[in-house]
mmCIF file of all heavy atoms in Angstrom:
data_model
loop_
_atom_site.group_PDB
_atom_site.id
_atom_site.type_symbol
_atom_site.label_atom_id
_atom_site.label_comp_id
_atom_site.label_asym_id
_atom_site.label_seq_id
_atom_site.Cartn_x
_atom_site.Cartn_y
_atom_site.Cartn_z
ATOM 1 N N THR W 632 38.724 -57.189 -23.903
ATOM 2 C CA THR W 632 37.868 -56.987 -22.745
ATOM 3 C C THR W 632 38.723 -57.117 -21.491
ATOM 4 O O THR W 632 39.787 -57.737 -21.516
ATOM 5 C CB THR W 632 36.739 -58.027 -22.705
ATOM 6 O OG1 THR W 632 37.325 -59.332 -22.630
ATOM 7 C CG2 THR W 632 35.891 -57.957 -23.951
ATOM 8 N N LEU W 633 38.277 -56.499 -20.442
ATOM 9 C CA LEU W 633 38.997 -56.548 -19.172
ATOM 10 C C LEU W 633 38.286 -57.498 -18.228
ATOM 11 O O LEU W 633 37.069 -57.641 -18.276
ATOM 12 C CB LEU W 633 39.051 -55.147 -18.542
ATOM 13 C CG LEU W 633 39.534 -54.005 -19.433
ATOM 14 C CD1 LEU W 633 39.524 -52.695 -18.646
ATOM 15 C CD2 LEU W 633 40.916 -54.285 -19.970
ATOM 16 N N ASN W 634 39.045 -58.129 -17.342
ATOM 17 C CA ASN W 634 38.415 -58.961 -16.324
ATOM 18 C C ASN W 634 38.396 -58.245 -14.981
ATOM 19 O O ASN W 634 38.423 -58.869 -13.927
ATOM 20 C CB ASN W 634 39.093 -60.323 -16.226
ATOM 21 C CG ASN W 634 40.576 -60.204 -15.897
ATOM 22 O OD1 ASN W 634 40.995 -59.192 -15.333
ATOM 23 N ND2 ASN W 634 41.343 -61.212 -16.232
ATOM 24 N N ARG W 635 38.353 -56.930 -15.053
ATOM 25 C CA ARG W 635 38.261 -56.091 -13.862
ATOM 26 C C ARG W 635 37.455 -54.867 -14.274
ATOM 27 O O ARG W 635 37.475 -54.459 -15.451
ATOM 28 C CB ARG W 635 39.675 -55.654 -13.434
ATOM 29 C CG ARG W 635 39.949 -55.715 -11.961
ATOM 30 C CD ARG W 635 40.013 -57.149 -11.464
ATOM 31 N NE ARG W 635 41.016 -57.923 -12.168
ATOM 32 C CZ ARG W 635 42.299 -58.014 -11.778
ATOM 33 N NH1 ARG W 635 42.711 -57.367 -10.714
ATOM 34 N NH2 ARG W 635 43.138 -58.752 -12.458
ATOM 35 N N VAL W 636 36.774 -54.247 -13.323
ATOM 36 C CA VAL W 636 36.099 -52.985 -13.593
ATOM 37 C C VAL W 636 37.042 -51.858 -13.176
ATOM 38 O O VAL W 636 37.456 -51.800 -12.023
ATOM 39 C CB VAL W 636 34.775 -52.871 -12.806
ATOM 40 C CG1 VAL W 636 34.114 -51.528 -13.095
ATOM 41 C CG2 VAL W 636 33.834 -54.008 -13.170
ATOM 42 N N ILE W 637 37.376 -51.007 -14.129
ATOM 43 C CA ILE W 637 38.292 -49.909 -13.800
ATOM 44 C C ILE W 637 37.635 -48.567 -14.091
ATOM 45 O O ILE W 637 36.614 -48.506 -14.779
ATOM 46 C CB ILE W 637 39.623 -50.045 -14.589
ATOM 47 C CG1 ILE W 637 39.361 -50.003 -16.099
ATOM 48 C CG2 ILE W 637 40.349 -51.324 -14.248
ATOM 49 C CD1 ILE W 637 39.643 -48.679 -16.723
ATOM 50 N N ASP W 638 38.198 -47.538 -13.533
ATOM 51 C CA ASP W 638 37.720 -46.183 -13.789
ATOM 52 C C ASP W 638 38.634 -45.583 -14.851
ATOM 53 O O ASP W 638 39.801 -45.293 -14.568
ATOM 54 C CB ASP W 638 37.785 -45.358 -12.500
ATOM 55 C CG ASP W 638 37.281 -43.930 -12.711
ATOM 56 O OD1 ASP W 638 37.050 -43.527 -13.866
ATOM 57 O OD2 ASP W 638 37.121 -43.223 -11.700
ATOM 58 N N PRO W 639 38.143 -45.395 -16.060
ATOM 59 C CA PRO W 639 39.022 -44.909 -17.133
ATOM 60 C C PRO W 639 39.691 -43.580 -16.816
ATOM 61 O O PRO W 639 40.809 -43.325 -17.275
ATOM 62 C CB PRO W 639 38.070 -44.757 -18.322
ATOM 63 C CG PRO W 639 36.943 -45.693 -18.035
ATOM 64 C CD PRO W 639 36.785 -45.668 -16.548
ATOM 65 N N ASP W 640 39.031 -42.752 -16.028
ATOM 66 C CA ASP W 640 39.616 -41.450 -15.713
ATOM 67 C C ASP W 640 40.832 -41.567 -14.814
ATOM 68 O O ASP W 640 41.596 -40.619 -14.673
ATOM 69 C CB ASP W 640 38.571 -40.548 -15.045
ATOM 70 C CG ASP W 640 37.543 -40.050 -16.043
ATOM 71 O OD1 ASP W 640 37.894 -39.918 -17.225
ATOM 72 O OD2 ASP W 640 36.393 -39.798 -15.631
ATOM 73 N N GLU W 641 41.003 -42.721 -14.189
ATOM 74 C CA GLU W 641 42.124 -42.911 -13.269
ATOM 75 C C GLU W 641 43.296 -43.655 -13.918
ATOM 76 O O GLU W 641 44.280 -43.949 -13.249
ATOM 77 C CB GLU W 641 41.661 -43.677 -12.036
ATOM 78 C CG GLU W 641 40.669 -42.891 -11.171
ATOM 79 C CD GLU W 641 41.250 -41.580 -10.699
ATOM 80 O OE1 GLU W 641 42.373 -41.567 -10.158
ATOM 81 O OE2 GLU W 641 40.574 -40.542 -10.884
ATOM 82 N N ALA W 642 43.182 -43.932 -15.212
ATOM 83 C CA ALA W 642 44.279 -44.630 -15.886
ATOM 84 C C ALA W 642 45.447 -43.675 -16.094
ATOM 85 O O ALA W 642 45.260 -42.538 -16.519
ATOM 86 C CB ALA W 642 43.804 -45.190 -17.223
ATOM 87 N N ALA W 643 46.648 -44.165 -15.829
ATOM 88 C CA ALA W 643 47.834 -43.316 -15.918
ATOM 89 C C ALA W 643 48.793 -43.766 -17.004
ATOM 90 O O ALA W 643 49.445 -42.939 -17.628
ATOM 91 C CB ALA W 643 48.560 -43.284 -14.578
ATOM 92 N N ALA W 644 48.910 -45.080 -17.222
ATOM 93 C CA ALA W 644 49.903 -45.552 -18.189
ATOM 94 C C ALA W 644 49.601 -46.978 -18.609
ATOM 95 O O ALA W 644 48.957 -47.730 -17.887
ATOM 96 C CB ALA W 644 51.310 -45.483 -17.582
ATOM 97 N N LEU W 645 50.103 -47.316 -19.790
ATOM 98 C CA LEU W 645 50.077 -48.684 -20.285
ATOM 99 C C LEU W 645 51.517 -49.143 -20.412
ATOM 100 O O LEU W 645 52.384 -48.362 -20.830
ATOM 101 C CB LEU W 645 49.402 -48.760 -21.653
ATOM 102 C CG LEU W 645 47.896 -48.511 -21.707
ATOM 103 C CD1 LEU W 645 47.436 -48.337 -23.149
ATOM 104 C CD2 LEU W 645 47.156 -49.660 -21.051
ATOM 105 N N VAL W 646 51.766 -50.391 -20.065
ATOM 106 C CA VAL W 646 53.116 -50.936 -20.190
ATOM 107 C C VAL W 646 53.078 -52.106 -21.150
ATOM 108 O O VAL W 646 52.335 -53.062 -20.940
ATOM 109 C CB VAL W 646 53.657 -51.386 -18.818
ATOM 110 C CG1 VAL W 646 55.065 -51.949 -18.976
ATOM 111 C CG2 VAL W 646 53.634 -50.235 -17.832
ATOM 112 N N PHE W 647 53.877 -52.007 -22.210
ATOM 113 C CA PHE W 647 53.968 -53.074 -23.204
ATOM 114 C C PHE W 647 55.247 -53.859 -22.977
ATOM 115 O O PHE W 647 56.277 -53.295 -22.587
ATOM 116 C CB PHE W 647 54.022 -52.479 -24.622
ATOM 117 C CG PHE W 647 52.779 -51.752 -25.018
ATOM 118 C CD1 PHE W 647 52.589 -50.425 -24.673
ATOM 119 C CD2 PHE W 647 51.804 -52.401 -25.759
ATOM 120 C CE1 PHE W 647 51.436 -49.759 -25.049
ATOM 121 C CE2 PHE W 647 50.653 -51.733 -26.140
ATOM 122 C CZ PHE W 647 50.470 -50.410 -25.787
#
Side-chain angles (χ1 to χ4, degrees):
Chain W
T632 60
L633 309 180
N634 58 23
R635 223 69 57 89
V636 179
I637 60 100
D638 181 351
D640 286 331
E641 293 302 310
L645 290 168
V646 180
F647 295 85

